[in-house]
Amino acid sequence: MIENDRPVIANSLWTATANPAPDCQPLIGASHAQVAIVGGGLTGLSAALHLAEAGRDVALVEAESIGWGASGRNGGQVNPGLHLDPDEVESRFGPEFGPRIVRTSGAAPQLVFDLIDRHQIRCDARRPGWIRAAHNKSALGDLDSKIRQWAARGTTLHRLDQGEMAEISGTDTYAGGLLDPRGGNLHPLNYTLGLAHAAQRAGARLHGQSRALRLSRDGTSHILQTDKGQLRAQKVLLCTNGYTDDLAAPLKQTVVPVRSVQVATEPLPEDIRRTILPGGHAVADSRRLMLYYRVDAQGRLIMGGRGAYGDAATAHRLQSLRDVSRQMFPQLGDCRWVHAWGGFVAMTADHLPHLTRLDGGILSALGYNGRGVAMATVMGKVLADWACGTPDAALPFPVAPPRPIPFHGLRRLGVAATVAKYRALDALGL
Ligand SMILES: Cc1cc2nc3c(=O)[nH]c(=O)nc-3n(C[C@H](O)[C@H](O)[C@H](O)COP(=O)(O)OP(=O)(O)OC[C@H]3O[C@@H](n4cnc5c(N)ncnc54)[C@H](O)[C@@H]3O)c2cc1C
């Protein structure tokens, strides 16, 4: 079970099958570091690892345990690219940053699989490719456009017709699909814990149960205060994504935390297991309220989708995921559903991750819009490069001041209204 979270979303498959966590004692007393990191998920740990490998003295504080946030709860789908397609990214960001953002996001899975190899991380990593499935015929045009846009940049994605999609997924729900060979899947908590072990081996100090309560400035240093300790550093990296609190206003107003939830079966009998995603692919479909699913290394089907804020509504969404799984894969019959859990993804107004500067010495990376396994790993490295002195203009993403979302206080109402609209459009097949 995930500790210190609501029971309705705490019964995580990943926590139940986790490798041993690193020893991360709370921060006690006063200490120094060149770089302080807030948040022990993929962004913070990737930053800590890359900084320690570059010889920097780095300390990280995590409010709960390592991987407690979305990094230890997600679907483990390692997907390339961003929500926006390359043409749109380049037209928004222009000739300097546009191609860099596209290249960096397209290569993000490679960094993940390279780190896993280099640090021998045991996380059931597989790289058969990642699939986007078209839930109706009108979604096929979008897949063809993605294929054209990536081809123009030297990357071949494969179009799957209806029959190929049915064969690869095990369901005839879809009108077709796209196979992106750069993607894959893994056990997300074990990947996160593996990065933490690697960061510690490289010399990073990681502190669990150490919520940063205040951030202040003293001359050229920044001071992070926890309930039992104090950390002074020249640079601070904020890596709190969908769990961003009031530590560094107005960062919290730049993202909307939205709940995503998953359910998992028991390990399926071999004859059923062979019929669902037999090639080990992970799928995300083209519905506005996307379904994402895969089978784990022990043969459990994991189905994910949009959650809700309240417990009753969340329980209802979890049941809908079980129901839709049975519709798509009737062979599941009366298999047992053993796990149900969820967490917060961080959405941004422009659907893109942001590098946000809060002060000359404080930078944050957040807003992965539900696609952070690969991108958070990359952005942690980008933060590390910045903390090592890479100038803003040479980073792969532009650095900007905080961009608070208007009417942020009404975000829950806004999310509920958007979800209702999307559900209606999906139901109408539009
Ligand atoms: C259910 C679910 C499914 C998902 N599926 C996928 C998927 O299949 N593929 C994909 O690419 N992405 C997926 N995502 C998104 C992905 O998990 C995230 O984008 C990514 O993990 C973000 O990593 P992070 O390190 O930035 O943030 P997190 O992992 O959320 O870590 C932030 C951490 O900051 C800590 N923190 C916050 N405030 C403080 C403070 N004041 N002091 C100390 N610590 C603090 C929190 O405790 C938390 O542990 C999913 C997310 C969820 C919730």
Side-chain angles (χ1 to χ4, degrees), residues 100-158:
R100 263 192 252 174
I101 295 175
V102 170
R103 240 188 343 268
T104 306
S105 60
Q110 190 59 47
L111 177 66
V112 171
F113 291 105
D114 283 349
L115 286 170
I116 291 169
D117 273 356
R118 185 144 57 87
H119 298 285
Q120 295 290 295
I121 298 176
R122 288 186 298 120
C123 60
D124 300 324
R126 288 184 287 196
R127 204 174 182 184
W130 176 75
I131 290 173
R132 177 126 175 119
H135 73 290
N136 61 24
K137 282 199 176 130
S138 60
L140 292 173
D142 178 54
L143 299 190
D144 290 333
S145 164
K146 286 183 199 311
I147 290 170
R148 270 196 308 275
Q149 292 183 40
W150 281 107
R153 291 158 180 90
T155 298
T156 305
L157 313 183
H158 308 285

Side-chain angles (χ1 to χ4, degrees), residues 38-44 61-65 67-79 210-213 239-245 247 260-262 292 341-345 365 368-374 376:
V38 182
L42 290 171
T43 308
V61 291
E62 162 55 47
E64 302 284 343
S65 53
W68 182 88
S71 299
R73 306 177 187 220
N74 62 63
Q77 302 205 7
V78 186
N79 34 24
S210 303
R211 179 174 293 279
L213 300 169
C239 309
T240 48
N241 207 44
Y243 293 85
T244 301
D245 59 14
L247 178 69
S260 186
V261 291
Q262 297 176 87
Y292 57 95
W341 73 102
F344 283 125
V345 301
Y368 304 112
N369 293 270
R371 298 171 72 112
V373 173

Side-chain angles (χ1 to χ4, degrees), residues 3-4 22-28 40 60-66 68 206-213 226-229:
E3 284 181 9
N4 290 337
D23 182 18
C24 298
Q25 293 299 311
L27 181 73
I28 296 178
L60 177 152
V61 291
E62 162 55 47
E64 302 284 343
S65 53
I66 293 298
W68 182 88
L206 310 181
H207 300 283
Q209 278 69 46
S210 303
R211 179 174 293 279
L213 300 169
T226 66
D227 66 339
K228 296 196 182 73

Side-chain angles (χ1 to χ4, degrees), residues 20-99:
D23 182 18
C24 298
Q25 293 299 311
L27 181 73
I28 296 178
S31 66
H32 291 79
Q34 284 172 303
V35 185
I37 298 175
V38 182
L42 290 171
T43 308
L45 293 164
S46 169
L49 171 62
H50 287 100
L51 281 164
E53 285 183 332
R56 298 304 190 277
D57 176 24
V58 54
L60 177 152
V61 291
E62 162 55 47
E64 302 284 343
S65 53
I66 293 298
W68 182 88
S71 299
R73 306 177 187 220
N74 62 63
Q77 302 205 7
V78 186
N79 34 24
L82 299 165
H83 268 292
L84 305 185
D85 289 332
D87 285 355
E88 187 165 1
V89 171
E90 291 190 6
S91 82
R92 278 199 201 182
F93 287 91
E96 200 183 329
F97 274 107

Side-chain angles (χ1 to χ4, degrees), residues 6 9 13 25 38 47 56 190 202 234 259 335 342-343 362 391 398 420:
R6 304 164 85 92
I9 54 154
L13 164 63
Q25 293 299 311
V38 182
R56 298 304 190 277
N190 284 341
Q234 276 71 55
R259 196 173 266 167
C335 77
I362 308 176

Side-chain angles (χ1 to χ4, degrees), residues 35-354:
V35 185
I37 298 175
V38 182
L42 290 171
T43 308
L45 293 164
S46 169
L49 171 62
H50 287 100
L51 281 164
E53 285 183 332
R56 298 304 190 277
D57 176 24
V58 54
L60 177 152
V61 291
E62 162 55 47
E64 302 284 343
S65 53
I66 293 298
W68 182 88
S71 299
R73 306 177 187 220
N74 62 63
Q77 302 205 7
V78 186
N79 34 24
L82 299 165
H83 268 292
L84 305 185
D85 289 332
D87 285 355
E88 187 165 1
V89 171
E90 291 190 6
S91 82
R92 278 199 201 182
F93 287 91
E96 200 183 329
F97 274 107
R100 263 192 252 174
I101 295 175
V102 170
R103 240 188 343 268
T104 306
S105 60
Q110 190 59 47
L111 177 66
V112 171
F113 291 105
D114 283 349
L115 286 170
I116 291 169
D117 273 356
R118 185 144 57 87
H119 298 285
Q120 295 290 295
I121 298 176
R122 288 186 298 120
C123 60
D124 300 324
R126 288 184 287 196
R127 204 174 182 184
W130 176 75
I131 290 173
R132 177 126 175 119
H135 73 290
N136 61 24
K137 282 199 176 130
S138 60
L140 292 173
D142 178 54
L143 299 190
D144 290 333
S145 164
K146 286 183 199 311
I147 290 170
R148 270 196 308 275
Q149 292 183 40
W150 281 107
R153 291 158 180 90
T155 298
T156 305
L157 313 183
H158 308 285
R159 178 75 152 72
L160 304 170
D161 65 23
Q162 190 165 18
E164 289 165 330
M165 188 60 219
E167 205 170 305
I168 219 166
S169 65
T171 172
D172 56 10
T173 312
Y174 296 109
L178 171 164
L179 172 64
D180 188 328
R182 297 170 294 181
N185 56 83
L186 45 70
H187 185 306
L189 180 54
N190 284 341
Y191 169 53
T192 307
L193 295 173
L195 281 188
H197 283 291
Q200 276 189 334
R201 282 196 301 270
R205 287 173 278 150
L206 310 181
H207 300 283
Q209 278 69 46
S210 303
R211 179 174 293 279
L213 300 169
R214 268 191 313 285
L215 176 56
S216 56
R217 190 165 182 152
D218 179 19
T220 56
S221 300
H222 299 277
I223 301 171
L224 280 172
Q225 188 73 45
T226 66
D227 66 339
K228 296 196 182 73
Q230 197 187 67
L231 182 59
R232 181 181 283 266
Q234 276 71 55
K235 290 197 169 148
V236 177
L237 305 177
L238 299 173
C239 309
T240 48
N241 207 44
Y243 293 85
T244 301
D245 59 14
D246 292 315
L247 178 69
L251 198 59
K252 187 175 171 180
Q253 276 75 47
T254 67
V255 289
V256 174
V258 171
R259 196 173 266 167
S260 186
V261 291
Q262 297 176 87
V263 291
T265 65
E266 62 190 342
L268 297 169
E270 189 52 36
D271 56 332
I272 298 180
R273 184 176 171 166
R274 271 201 307 269
T275 64
I276 303 175
L277 294 164
H281 299 89
V283 179
D285 74 19
S286 57
R287 278 171 246 241
R288 284 180 184 76
L289 294 181
M290 181 184 78
L291 289 174
Y292 57 95
Y293 53 95
R294 49 175 286 215
V295 173
D296 82 346
Q298 286 71 40
R300 303 172 181 93
L301 175 67
I302 305 164
M303 178 65 71
R306 182 61 67 88
Y309 291 117
D311 284 0
T314 298
H316 179 71
R317 298 278 166 79
L318 292 166
Q319 188 52 43
S320 312
L321 290 176
R322 296 179 193 108
D323 294 342
V324 78
S325 304
R326 285 202 195 88
Q327 284 159 21
M328 287 166 64
F329 303 107
Q331 63 270 44
L332 289 173
D334 57 0
C335 77
R336 280 194 325 125
W337 292 89
V338 181
H339 298 281
W341 73 102
F344 283 125
V345 301
M347 312 301 275
T348 51
D350 59 5
H351 310 290
L352 292 166
H354 296 167

